[in-house]
Amino acid sequence: MNNQMFSQSTSQESAIQTNKVLRNTYFLLSMTLVWSAVIAGLAMAFNLPHPGFLITIVGFYGLIFMVEKNRNNSSGIMYTFLFTGFLGYTLGPILNSYLGAGMGDIIVTALGGTALAFMSASAYALTTKRDLSFLNGMMMAGFVVLLVGMVANIFLQMPILQLALSSMFILFSTGAILLTTQSIIRGGETSYISATVTLYVSIYNIFISLLSILGIMRDD
């Protein structure tokens, strides 16, 4: 009887902790998305230049490192907002280029597609009883292919390759949303800061990839 009561108590505590991580993740994610949108809007309003490939890469991985290093303390929240604000800033000049080319409707379409992809993937991960861990191997293979493709695209600059990479980024990012969400509800991910950043990056990549695909199709 004591063992049964202890098991029930442990299970309840685990469920409470899981719900807390999930709740905190979605709350922080919503805050960072708003913050990022504000920074992107300011970058657009002041017509700020894009920081360039090198600064973007250094800023991205440098801030990711600081977020993960502080994932279990309050400093992690500060670095999360610095990271998402930085990506918001890089987004501003990109959006201005689409607006300048008369493609404002593409931005709206990409936003809608991104929201639909995120909500669909999250809803599936939250409700399915299927173990999605089989995606890990596919994600690793996809990461290698994306890395090679990105390096090749720096030199080749081929629209068809960019289209393929953008499509793969959408699939890869959707997989990351599925795995991260299920990891939270199954107790595998206990840091809402890390979960938030993973989901944010996935949303960012889907949006940028949709912009690229729609832009290429419009050019054609």
Side-chain angles (χ1 to χ4, degrees), residues 18 21-22 25-26 29 118-128 132 173-189 195 198-199 202:
T18 296
V21 173
L22 187 64
T25 296
Y26 281 128
L29 179 63
F118 175 73
M119 289 188 294
S120 299
S122 297
Y124 180 76
L126 288 169
T127 56
T128 186
L132 300 176
S173 299
T174 302
I177 293 171
L178 289 168
L179 286 172
T180 301
T181 304
Q182 188 171 85
S183 181
I184 294 172
I185 62 178
R186 295 195 173 189
E189 178 59 82
T198 299
L199 294 177
S202 299

Side-chain angles (χ1 to χ4, degrees), residues 37 40-41 44 90-116 203-204 206-216 218:
M44 294 172 67
T90 65
L91 191 58
I94 295 174
L95 296 180
N96 267 344
S97 68
Y98 279 86
L99 288 175
M103 297 183 182
D105 58 316
I106 283 180
I107 296 175
V108 176
T109 303
L111 279 172
T114 302
L116 180 61
I203 292 170
Y204 180 93
I206 291 174
F207 179 59
I208 290 295
S209 298
L210 284 174
L211 279 177
S212 178
I213 291 173
L214 293 171
I216 291 173
R218 174 68 65 84

Side-chain angles (χ1 to χ4, degrees), residues 99-161:
L99 288 175
M103 297 183 182
D105 58 316
I106 283 180
I107 296 175
V108 176
T109 303
L111 279 172
T114 302
L116 180 61
F118 175 73
M119 289 188 294
S120 299
S122 297
Y124 180 76
L126 288 169
T127 56
T128 186
K129 297 184 182 300
R130 186 178 184 184
D131 184 0
L132 300 176
S133 60
F134 70 92
L135 292 173
N136 283 313
M138 299 170 60
M139 293 284 286
M140 181 58 66
F143 176 77
V144 174
V145 172
L146 281 171
L147 187 61
V148 173
M150 288 171 62
V151 173
N153 195 46
I154 293 174
F155 300 99
L156 299 177
Q157 294 294 313
M158 297 171 56
I160 188 64
L161 179 57

